[in-house]
């Protein structure tokens, strides 16, 4: 199944870190409703607050998963990713 990464900014004020971390269970459920599987989440330092890695059957499902993130007060920039081992194969096909 294709993998997607979302660079996420928190745009909602949360009372505390525990409140922010508790939302991930709800997000996982919402993504599953869109046929997406949340694989990894990382808190990151820098321009973005989180990196979310998920699998989705197609771009439409990935788009809907990105919208689900937005409903939780998160601004997400979602893009398709491929393992670097597969990159050479993609380039060879050009």
């Amino acid at each position: 199944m294709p993998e997607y990464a979302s660079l996420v900014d928190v745009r909602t004020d949360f009372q505390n870190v525990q409140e922010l971390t508790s939302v991930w269970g709800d997000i996982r459920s919402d993504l599953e409703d869109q046929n997406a599987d949340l694989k990894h989440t990382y808190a990151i330092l820098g321009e973005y607050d989180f990196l979310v890695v998920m699998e989705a059957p197609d771009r439409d499902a990935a788009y809907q998963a990105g919208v689900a993130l937005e409903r939780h007060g998160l601004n997400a920039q979602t893009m398709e990713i491929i393992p670097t081992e597969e990159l050479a194969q993609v380039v060879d096909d050009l």
Side-chain angles (χ1 to χ4, degrees), residues 5 10 26 32 39 44 58 63 66 79 92:
V10 176
D26 295 336
E32 288 172 357
K39 301 307 275 183
I44 56 178
D58 54 36
Y63 178 81
M79 60 211 92
D92 284 344

Side-chain angles (χ1 to χ4, degrees), residues 8-27:
V8 176
D9 279 327
V10 176
R11 62 168 200 240
T12 300
D13 290 332
F14 288 92
Q15 295 289 331
N16 54 49
V17 176
Q18 288 80 11
E19 182 184 2
L20 177 58
T21 58
S22 70
V23 76
W24 290 105
D26 295 336
I27 290 172

Side-chain angles (χ1 to χ4, degrees), residues 11 31 34 61-72 74 76 78:
R11 62 168 200 240
L31 294 181
Q34 303 306 324
Y63 178 81
Q64 291 298 325
V67 170
L69 289 170
E70 300 267 344
R71 283 194 299 266
H72 289 277
L74 305 174
T78 302

